[in-house]
PDB file of all heavy atoms in Angstrom:
ATOM      1  N   LYS A 141      58.761  27.505  30.427  1.00 58.00           N
ATOM      2  CA  LYS A 141      59.253  27.909  31.793  1.00 58.00           C
ATOM      3  C   LYS A 141      60.801  28.153  31.753  1.00 58.00           C
ATOM      4  O   LYS A 141      61.422  28.124  32.888  1.00 58.00           O
ATOM      5  CB  LYS A 141      58.948  26.716  32.782  1.00 58.00           C
ATOM      6  CG  LYS A 141      57.584  26.303  32.771  1.00 58.00           C
ATOM      7  CD  LYS A 141      56.581  27.394  33.042  1.00 58.00           C
ATOM      8  CE  LYS A 141      55.101  27.088  33.118  1.00 58.00           C
ATOM      9  NZ  LYS A 141      54.578  26.520  31.877  1.00 58.00           N
ATOM     10  N   TYR A 142      61.246  28.419  30.452  1.00 58.00           N
ATOM     11  CA  TYR A 142      62.664  28.809  30.334  1.00 58.00           C
ATOM     12  C   TYR A 142      62.887  30.118  29.660  1.00 58.00           C
ATOM     13  O   TYR A 142      63.285  30.301  28.540  1.00 58.00           O
ATOM     14  CB  TYR A 142      63.360  27.667  29.523  1.00 58.00           C
ATOM     15  CG  TYR A 142      64.341  26.739  30.309  1.00 58.00           C
ATOM     16  CD1 TYR A 142      63.724  25.689  31.071  1.00 58.00           C
ATOM     17  CD2 TYR A 142      65.721  26.949  30.318  1.00 58.00           C
ATOM     18  CE1 TYR A 142      64.654  24.911  31.782  1.00 58.00           C
ATOM     19  CE2 TYR A 142      66.568  26.199  31.071  1.00 58.00           C
ATOM     20  CZ  TYR A 142      66.024  25.108  31.821  1.00 58.00           C
ATOM     21  OH  TYR A 142      66.887  24.374  32.417  1.00 58.00           O
ATOM     22  N   PRO A 143      62.548  31.189  30.444  1.00 57.00           N
ATOM     23  CA  PRO A 143      62.741  32.534  29.896  1.00 57.00           C
ATOM     24  C   PRO A 143      64.221  32.807  29.623  1.00 57.00           C
ATOM     25  O   PRO A 143      65.057  32.082  30.039  1.00 57.00           O
ATOM     26  CB  PRO A 143      62.138  33.433  30.895  1.00 57.00           C
ATOM     27  CG  PRO A 143      62.319  32.671  32.197  1.00 57.00           C
ATOM     28  CD  PRO A 143      62.160  31.264  31.787  1.00 57.00           C
ATOM     29  N   LEU A 144      64.494  34.035  28.987  1.00 54.00           N
ATOM     30  CA  LEU A 144      65.820  34.317  28.638  1.00 54.00           C
ATOM     31  C   LEU A 144      66.740  34.375  29.965  1.00 54.00           C
ATOM     32  O   LEU A 144      67.898  33.874  29.924  1.00 54.00           O
ATOM     33  CB  LEU A 144      65.872  35.667  27.954  1.00 54.00           C
ATOM     34  CG  LEU A 144      67.331  36.252  27.608  1.00 54.00           C
ATOM     35  CD1 LEU A 144      67.911  35.188  26.631  1.00 54.00           C
ATOM     36  CD2 LEU A 144      67.097  37.521  26.982  1.00 54.00           C
ATOM     37  N   ALA A 145      66.232  35.001  31.131  1.00 60.00           N
ATOM     38  CA  ALA A 145      66.985  35.126  32.352  1.00 60.00           C
ATOM     39  C   ALA A 145      67.425  33.762  32.803  1.00 60.00           C
ATOM     40  O   ALA A 145      68.657  33.540  33.249  1.00 60.00           O
ATOM     41  CB  ALA A 145      66.201  35.828  33.358  1.00 60.00           C
ATOM     42  N   THR A 146      66.504  32.751  32.758  1.00 58.00           N
ATOM     43  CA  THR A 146      66.832  31.442  33.243  1.00 58.00           C
ATOM     44  C   THR A 146      67.934  30.666  32.259  1.00 58.00           C
ATOM     45  O   THR A 146      68.713  30.034  32.783  1.00 58.00           O
ATOM     46  CB  THR A 146      65.627  30.555  33.241  1.00 58.00           C
ATOM     47  OG1 THR A 146      64.546  31.177  34.167  1.00 58.00           O
ATOM     48  CG2 THR A 146      65.842  29.004  33.726  1.00 58.00           C
ATOM     49  N   MET A 147      67.752  30.886  30.968  1.00 60.00           N
ATOM     50  CA  MET A 147      68.726  30.390  30.095  1.00 60.00           C
ATOM     51  C   MET A 147      70.144  31.075  30.232  1.00 60.00           C
ATOM     52  O   MET A 147      71.063  30.129  30.258  1.00 60.00           O
ATOM     53  CB  MET A 147      68.299  30.681  28.568  1.00 60.00           C
ATOM     54  CG  MET A 147      66.986  29.869  28.123  1.00 60.00           C
ATOM     55  SD  MET A 147      66.474  30.601  26.678  1.00 60.00           S
ATOM     56  CE  MET A 147      67.806  30.250  25.475  1.00 60.00           C
ATOM     57  N   VAL A 148      70.198  32.335  30.614  1.00 59.00           N
ATOM     58  CA  VAL A 148      71.436  32.909  30.851  1.00 59.00           C
ATOM     59  C   VAL A 148      72.158  32.336  32.244  1.00 59.00           C
ATOM     60  O   VAL A 148      73.268  32.093  32.168  1.00 59.00           O
ATOM     61  CB  VAL A 148      71.345  34.486  31.017  1.00 59.00           C
ATOM     62  CG1 VAL A 148      72.560  35.176  31.475  1.00 59.00           C
ATOM     63  CG2 VAL A 148      70.939  35.085  29.673  1.00 59.00           C
ATOM     64  N   ARG A 149      71.184  32.163  33.168  1.00 61.00           N
ATOM     65  CA  ARG A 149      71.716  31.468  34.377  1.00 61.00           C
ATOM     66  C   ARG A 149      72.265  30.189  34.186  1.00 61.00           C
ATOM     67  O   ARG A 149      73.365  29.780  34.747  1.00 61.00           O
ATOM     68  CB  ARG A 149      70.502  31.485  35.469  1.00 61.00           C
ATOM     69  CG  ARG A 149      70.878  31.109  36.856  1.00 61.00           C
ATOM     70  CD  ARG A 149      71.880  31.967  37.560  1.00 61.00           C
ATOM     71  NE  ARG A 149      73.218  31.523  37.516  1.00 61.00           N
ATOM     72  CZ  ARG A 149      74.360  32.248  37.890  1.00 61.00           C
ATOM     73  NH1 ARG A 149      74.173  33.464  38.374  1.00 61.00           N
ATOM     74  NH2 ARG A 149      75.572  31.833  37.919  1.00 61.00           N
ATOM     75  N   LEU A 150      71.459  29.315  33.337  1.00 58.00           N
ATOM     76  CA  LEU A 150      71.962  28.066  33.192  1.00 58.00           C
ATOM     77  C   LEU A 150      73.262  27.969  32.404  1.00 58.00           C
ATOM     78  O   LEU A 150      74.175  27.316  32.537  1.00 58.00           O
ATOM     79  CB  LEU A 150      70.892  27.236  32.189  1.00 58.00           C
ATOM     80  CG  LEU A 150      71.256  25.876  31.868  1.00 58.00           C
ATOM     81  CD1 LEU A 150      71.243  24.954  33.071  1.00 58.00           C
ATOM     82  CD2 LEU A 150      70.262  25.348  30.848  1.00 58.00           C
ATOM     83  N   SER A 151      73.483  28.984  31.429  1.00 57.00           N
ATOM     84  CA  SER A 151      74.811  29.047  30.771  1.00 57.00           C
ATOM     85  C   SER A 151      75.928  29.465  31.754  1.00 57.00           C
ATOM     86  O   SER A 151      76.942  28.873  31.597  1.00 57.00           O
ATOM     87  CB  SER A 151      74.596  30.084  29.676  1.00 57.00           C
ATOM     88  OG  SER A 151      73.631  29.769  28.708  1.00 57.00           O
ATOM     89  N   LEU A 152      75.693  30.396  32.612  1.00 61.00           N
ATOM     90  CA  LEU A 152      76.651  30.766  33.602  1.00 61.00           C
ATOM     91  C   LEU A 152      77.114  29.603  34.522  1.00 61.00           C
ATOM     92  O   LEU A 152      78.115  29.380  34.785  1.00 61.00           O
ATOM     93  CB  LEU A 152      76.231  31.960  34.402  1.00 61.00           C
ATOM     94  CG  LEU A 152      76.156  33.223  33.668  1.00 61.00           C
ATOM     95  CD1 LEU A 152      75.520  34.372  34.613  1.00 61.00           C
ATOM     96  CD2 LEU A 152      77.601  33.687  33.185  1.00 61.00           C
ATOM     97  N   ASP A 153      76.008  28.857  34.971  1.00 60.00           N
ATOM     98  CA  ASP A 153      76.316  27.646  35.727  1.00 60.00           C
ATOM     99  C   ASP A 153      77.145  26.563  34.833  1.00 60.00           C
ATOM    100  O   ASP A 153      78.012  25.912  35.471  1.00 60.00           O
ATOM    101  CB  ASP A 153      74.963  26.963  36.270  1.00 60.00           C
ATOM    102  CG  ASP A 153      74.371  27.879  37.394  1.00 60.00           C
ATOM    103  OD1 ASP A 153      75.148  28.542  37.956  1.00 60.00           O
ATOM    104  OD2 ASP A 153      73.227  27.695  37.554  1.00 60.00           O
ATOM    105  N   SER A 154      76.807  26.472  33.613  1.00 55.00           N
ATOM    106  CA  SER A 154      77.407  25.555  32.819  1.00 55.00           C
ATOM    107  C   SER A 154      78.936  25.916  32.644  1.00 55.00           C
ATOM    108  O   SER A 154      79.870  24.985  32.811  1.00 55.00           O
ATOM    109  CB  SER A 154      76.760  25.515  31.395  1.00 55.00           C
ATOM    110  OG  SER A 154      75.496  25.053  31.477  1.00 55.00           O
ATOM    111  N   VAL A 155      79.245  27.224  32.364  1.00 60.00           N
ATOM    112  CA  VAL A 155      80.709  27.624  32.183  1.00 60.00           C
ATOM    113  C   VAL A 155      81.441  27.490  33.446  1.00 60.00           C
ATOM    114  O   VAL A 155      82.411  26.976  33.429  1.00 60.00           O
ATOM    115  CB  VAL A 155      80.603  29.061  31.615  1.00 60.00           C
ATOM    116  CG1 VAL A 155      82.037  29.619  31.624  1.00 60.00           C
ATOM    117  CG2 VAL A 155      80.020  29.016  30.137  1.00 60.00           C
ATOM    118  N   THR A 156      80.831  28.081  34.562  1.00 57.00           N
ATOM    119  CA  THR A 156      81.630  28.171  35.769  1.00 57.00           C
ATOM    120  C   THR A 156      81.632  26.814  36.499  1.00 57.00           C
ATOM    121  O   THR A 156      82.539  26.579  37.229  1.00 57.00           O
ATOM    122  CB  THR A 156      81.120  29.163  36.711  1.00 57.00           C
ATOM    123  OG1 THR A 156      79.802  28.976  37.022  1.00 57.00           O
ATOM    124  CG2 THR A 156      81.223  30.643  36.076  1.00 57.00           C
ATOM    125  N   GLY A 157      80.814  25.964  36.132  1.00 58.00           N
ATOM    126  CA  GLY A 157      80.752  24.621  36.944  1.00 58.00           C
ATOM    127  C   GLY A 157      81.570  23.484  36.164  1.00 58.00           C
ATOM    128  O   GLY A 157      81.817  22.575  36.760  1.00 58.00           O
ATOM    129  N   PHE A 158      81.890  23.786  34.848  1.00 58.00           N
ATOM    130  CA  PHE A 158      82.603  22.765  34.090  1.00 58.00           C
ATOM    131  C   PHE A 158      83.870  23.077  33.370  1.00 58.00           C
ATOM    132  O   PHE A 158      84.444  22.385  32.646  1.00 58.00           O
ATOM    133  CB  PHE A 158      81.605  22.098  33.147  1.00 58.00           C
ATOM    134  CG  PHE A 158      80.611  21.293  33.781  1.00 58.00           C
ATOM    135  CD1 PHE A 158      79.470  21.847  34.209  1.00 58.00           C
ATOM    136  CD2 PHE A 158      80.901  19.936  34.021  1.00 58.00           C
ATOM    137  CE1 PHE A 158      78.430  21.003  34.901  1.00 58.00           C
ATOM    138  CE2 PHE A 158      79.851  19.135  34.654  1.00 58.00           C
ATOM    139  CZ  PHE A 158      78.641  19.789  35.086  1.00 58.00           C
ATOM    140  N   SER A 159      84.265  24.353  33.623  1.00 58.00           N
ATOM    141  CA  SER A 159      85.426  24.876  32.889  1.00 58.00           C
ATOM    142  C   SER A 159      86.153  25.834  33.635  1.00 58.00           C
ATOM    143  O   SER A 159      85.573  26.743  34.223  1.00 58.00           O
ATOM    144  CB  SER A 159      85.107  25.391  31.545  1.00 58.00           C
ATOM    145  OG  SER A 159      86.234  25.837  30.805  1.00 58.00           O
ATOM    146  N   ARG A 160      87.571  25.775  33.674  1.00 59.00           N
ATOM    147  CA  ARG A 160      88.445  26.805  34.330  1.00 59.00           C
ATOM    148  C   ARG A 160      88.810  27.777  33.286  1.00 59.00           C
ATOM    149  O   ARG A 160      89.685  28.744  33.465  1.00 59.00           O
ATOM    150  CB  ARG A 160      89.596  26.194  35.005  1.00 59.00           C
ATOM    151  CG  ARG A 160      89.270  25.338  36.260  1.00 59.00           C
ATOM    152  CD  ARG A 160      90.510  24.867  36.817  1.00 59.00           C
ATOM    153  NE  ARG A 160      91.228  23.914  35.916  1.00 59.00           N
ATOM    154  CZ  ARG A 160      92.472  23.557  36.201  1.00 59.00           C
ATOM    155  NH1 ARG A 160      93.052  23.851  37.320  1.00 59.00           N
ATOM    156  NH2 ARG A 160      93.100  22.776  35.349  1.00 59.00           N
ATOM    157  N   ALA A 161      88.299  27.629  32.070  1.00 60.00           N
ATOM    158  CA  ALA A 161      88.721  28.570  30.888  1.00 60.00           C
ATOM    159  C   ALA A 161      88.437  30.046  31.255  1.00 60.00           C
ATOM    160  O   ALA A 161      89.464  30.907  30.949  1.00 60.00           O
ATOM    161  CB  ALA A 161      88.055  28.137  29.729  1.00 60.00           C
ATOM    162  N   PRO A 162      87.494  30.412  31.802  1.00 64.00           N
ATOM    163  CA  PRO A 162      87.215  31.951  32.083  1.00 64.00           C
ATOM    164  C   PRO A 162      88.277  32.377  33.144  1.00 64.00           C
ATOM    165  O   PRO A 162      88.725  33.480  33.080  1.00 64.00           O
ATOM    166  CB  PRO A 162      85.790  31.908  32.690  1.00 64.00           C
ATOM    167  CG  PRO A 162      85.135  30.754  32.045  1.00 64.00           C
ATOM    168  CD  PRO A 162      86.045  29.690  32.040  1.00 64.00           C
ATOM    169  N   LEU A 163      88.638  31.537  34.110  1.00 62.00           N
ATOM    170  CA  LEU A 163      89.643  31.977  34.949  1.00 62.00           C
ATOM    171  C   LEU A 163      91.077  32.061  34.278  1.00 62.00           C
ATOM    172  O   LEU A 163      91.717  32.999  34.579  1.00 62.00           O
ATOM    173  CB  LEU A 163      89.937  30.794  36.160  1.00 62.00           C
ATOM    174  CG  LEU A 163      88.855  30.974  37.233  1.00 62.00           C
ATOM    175  CD1 LEU A 163      89.122  29.779  38.206  1.00 62.00           C
ATOM    176  CD2 LEU A 163      88.867  32.315  38.018  1.00 62.00           C
ATOM    177  N   LYS A 164      91.265  31.122  33.350  1.00 62.00           N
ATOM    178  CA  LYS A 164      92.630  31.342  32.604  1.00 62.00           C
ATOM    179  C   LYS A 164      92.472  32.564  31.611  1.00 62.00           C
ATOM    180  O   LYS A 164      93.486  33.276  31.484  1.00 62.00           O
ATOM    181  CB  LYS A 164      92.763  30.075  31.662  1.00 62.00           C
ATOM    182  CG  LYS A 164      93.008  28.904  32.532  1.00 62.00           C
ATOM    183  CD  LYS A 164      93.182  27.578  31.649  1.00 62.00           C
ATOM    184  CE  LYS A 164      93.314  26.250  32.449  1.00 62.00           C
ATOM    185  NZ  LYS A 164      93.421  25.074  31.711  1.00 62.00           N
ATOM    186  N   LEU A 165      91.196  32.853  31.162  1.00 65.00           N
ATOM    187  CA  LEU A 165      91.086  34.041  30.326  1.00 65.00           C
ATOM    188  C   LEU A 165      91.386  35.214  31.172  1.00 65.00           C
ATOM    189  O   LEU A 165      92.063  36.232  30.684  1.00 65.00           O
ATOM    190  CB  LEU A 165      89.725  34.039  29.825  1.00 65.00           C
ATOM    191  CG  LEU A 165      89.341  35.209  28.843  1.00 65.00           C
ATOM    192  CD1 LEU A 165      90.136  34.996  27.570  1.00 65.00           C
ATOM    193  CD2 LEU A 165      87.886  35.184  28.536  1.00 65.00           C
ATOM    194  N   ALA A 166      90.826  35.337  32.505  1.00 64.00           N
ATOM    195  CA  ALA A 166      91.078  36.518  33.327  1.00 64.00           C
ATOM    196  C   ALA A 166      92.670  36.616  33.566  1.00 64.00           C
ATOM    197  O   ALA A 166      93.120  37.689  33.504  1.00 64.00           O
ATOM    198  CB  ALA A 166      90.376  36.232  34.480  1.00 64.00           C
ATOM    199  N   THR A 167      93.330  35.516  33.736  1.00 61.00           N
ATOM    200  CA  THR A 167      94.727  35.491  33.889  1.00 61.00           C
ATOM    201  C   THR A 167      95.560  36.085  32.735  1.00 61.00           C
ATOM    202  O   THR A 167      96.403  36.945  32.852  1.00 61.00           O
ATOM    203  CB  THR A 167      95.343  34.134  34.341  1.00 61.00           C
ATOM    204  OG1 THR A 167      94.619  33.737  35.410  1.00 61.00           O
ATOM    205  CG2 THR A 167      96.824  34.190  34.555  1.00 61.00           C
ATOM    206  N   TRP A 168      95.192  35.669  31.613  1.00 65.00           N
ATOM    207  CA  TRP A 168      95.693  36.118  30.408  1.00 65.00           C
ATOM    208  C   TRP A 168      95.377  37.673  30.104  1.00 65.00           C
ATOM    209  O   TRP A 168      96.356  38.456  29.589  1.00 65.00           O
ATOM    210  CB  TRP A 168      95.298  35.330  29.061  1.00 65.00           C
ATOM    211  CG  TRP A 168      96.006  34.013  29.168  1.00 65.00           C
ATOM    212  CD1 TRP A 168      95.405  32.694  29.316  1.00 65.00           C
ATOM    213  CD2 TRP A 168      97.394  33.673  28.718  1.00 65.00           C
ATOM    214  NE1 TRP A 168      96.363  31.743  29.203  1.00 65.00           N
ATOM    215  CE2 TRP A 168      97.642  32.286  28.855  1.00 65.00           C
ATOM    216  CE3 TRP A 168      98.485  34.498  28.533  1.00 65.00           C
ATOM    217  CZ2 TRP A 168      98.819  31.725  28.658  1.00 65.00           C
ATOM    218  CZ3 TRP A 168      99.785  33.896  28.384  1.00 65.00           C
ATOM    219  CH2 TRP A 168      99.946  32.473  28.349  1.00 65.00           C
ATOM    220  N   PHE A 169      94.228  38.009  30.420  1.00 67.00           N
ATOM    221  CA  PHE A 169      93.861  39.407  30.283  1.00 67.00           C
ATOM    222  C   PHE A 169      94.773  40.233  31.175  1.00 67.00           C
ATOM    223  O   PHE A 169      95.182  41.344  30.888  1.00 67.00           O
ATOM    224  CB  PHE A 169      92.411  39.717  30.627  1.00 67.00           C
ATOM    225  CG  PHE A 169      91.557  39.479  29.445  1.00 67.00           C
ATOM    226  CD1 PHE A 169      90.258  39.010  29.618  1.00 67.00           C
ATOM    227  CD2 PHE A 169      91.949  39.961  28.240  1.00 67.00           C
ATOM    228  CE1 PHE A 169      89.359  38.910  28.539  1.00 67.00           C
ATOM    229  CE2 PHE A 169      91.109  39.804  27.079  1.00 67.00           C
ATOM    230  CZ  PHE A 169      89.844  39.255  27.226  1.00 67.00           C
ATOM    231  N   GLY A 170      94.935  39.731  32.538  1.00 63.00           N
ATOM    232  CA  GLY A 170      95.650  40.551  33.413  1.00 63.00           C
ATOM    233  C   GLY A 170      97.160  40.571  32.908  1.00 63.00           C
ATOM    234  O   GLY A 170      97.795  41.689  33.068  1.00 63.00           O
ATOM    235  N   LEU A 171      97.740  39.422  32.534  1.00 61.00           N
ATOM    236  CA  LEU A 171      99.120  39.428  31.990  1.00 61.00           C
ATOM    237  C   LEU A 171      99.240  40.394  30.777  1.00 61.00           C
ATOM    238  O   LEU A 171     100.273  41.159  30.712  1.00 61.00           O
ATOM    239  CB  LEU A 171      99.540  38.005  31.679  1.00 61.00           C
ATOM    240  CG  LEU A 171     101.004  37.875  31.101  1.00 61.00           C
ATOM    241  CD1 LEU A 171     101.915  38.363  32.175  1.00 61.00           C
ATOM    242  CD2 LEU A 171     101.200  36.391  30.789  1.00 61.00           C
ATOM    243  N   GLY A 172      98.372  40.361  29.899  1.00 66.00           N
ATOM    244  CA  GLY A 172      98.410  41.130  28.690  1.00 66.00           C
ATOM    245  C   GLY A 172      98.292  42.582  29.027  1.00 66.00           C
ATOM    246  O   GLY A 172      99.037  43.383  28.518  1.00 66.00           O
ATOM    247  N   GLY A 173      97.428  42.988  29.958  1.00 62.00           N
ATOM    248  CA  GLY A 173      97.305  44.401  30.448  1.00 62.00           C
ATOM    249  C   GLY A 173      98.594  44.841  31.147  1.00 62.00           C
ATOM    250  O   GLY A 173      98.942  45.925  30.908  1.00 62.00           O
ATOM    251  N   PHE A 174      99.314  43.996  31.958  1.00 61.00           N
ATOM    252  CA  PHE A 174     100.402  44.362  32.663  1.00 61.00           C
ATOM    253  C   PHE A 174     101.526  44.662  31.554  1.00 61.00           C
ATOM    254  O   PHE A 174     102.337  45.774  31.591  1.00 61.00           O
ATOM    255  CB  PHE A 174     100.875  43.222  33.569  1.00 61.00           C
ATOM    256  CG  PHE A 174     102.170  43.495  34.210  1.00 61.00           C
ATOM    257  CD1 PHE A 174     102.312  44.334  35.230  1.00 61.00           C
ATOM    258  CD2 PHE A 174     103.325  42.773  33.820  1.00 61.00           C
ATOM    259  CE1 PHE A 174     103.672  44.585  35.719  1.00 61.00           C
ATOM    260  CE2 PHE A 174     104.597  43.016  34.315  1.00 61.00           C
ATOM    261  CZ  PHE A 174     104.692  44.032  35.342  1.00 61.00           C
ATOM    262  N   LEU A 175     101.742  43.779  30.579  1.00 66.00           N
ATOM    263  CA  LEU A 175     102.739  43.883  29.625  1.00 66.00           C
ATOM    264  C   LEU A 175     102.598  45.316  28.774  1.00 66.00           C
ATOM    265  O   LEU A 175     103.498  45.867  28.513  1.00 66.00           O
ATOM    266  CB  LEU A 175     102.907  42.727  28.608  1.00 66.00           C
ATOM    267  CG  LEU A 175     103.269  41.413  29.307  1.00 66.00           C
ATOM    268  CD1 LEU A 175     103.243  40.365  28.344  1.00 66.00           C
ATOM    269  CD2 LEU A 175     104.667  41.599  29.949  1.00 66.00           C
ATOM    270  N   LEU A 176     101.276  45.456  28.462  1.00 66.00           N
ATOM    271  CA  LEU A 176     100.849  46.601  27.675  1.00 66.00           C
ATOM    272  C   LEU A 176     101.213  47.912  28.557  1.00 66.00           C
ATOM    273  O   LEU A 176     101.719  48.936  28.038  1.00 66.00           O
ATOM    274  CB  LEU A 176      99.378  46.634  27.239  1.00 66.00           C
ATOM    275  CG  LEU A 176      98.896  47.834  26.313  1.00 66.00           C
ATOM    276  CD1 LEU A 176      99.741  47.893  25.065  1.00 66.00           C
ATOM    277  CD2 LEU A 176      97.487  47.647  25.941  1.00 66.00           C
TER     278      LEU A 176
END
């Protein structure tokens, strides 16, 4: 009862629910793009 779509959703919930790293990654991408 855990198809690939469910596993992906669980992974997204895990990342966005327990870490601000993706937000920080977005910030660094934005800063790097601005400097470039």
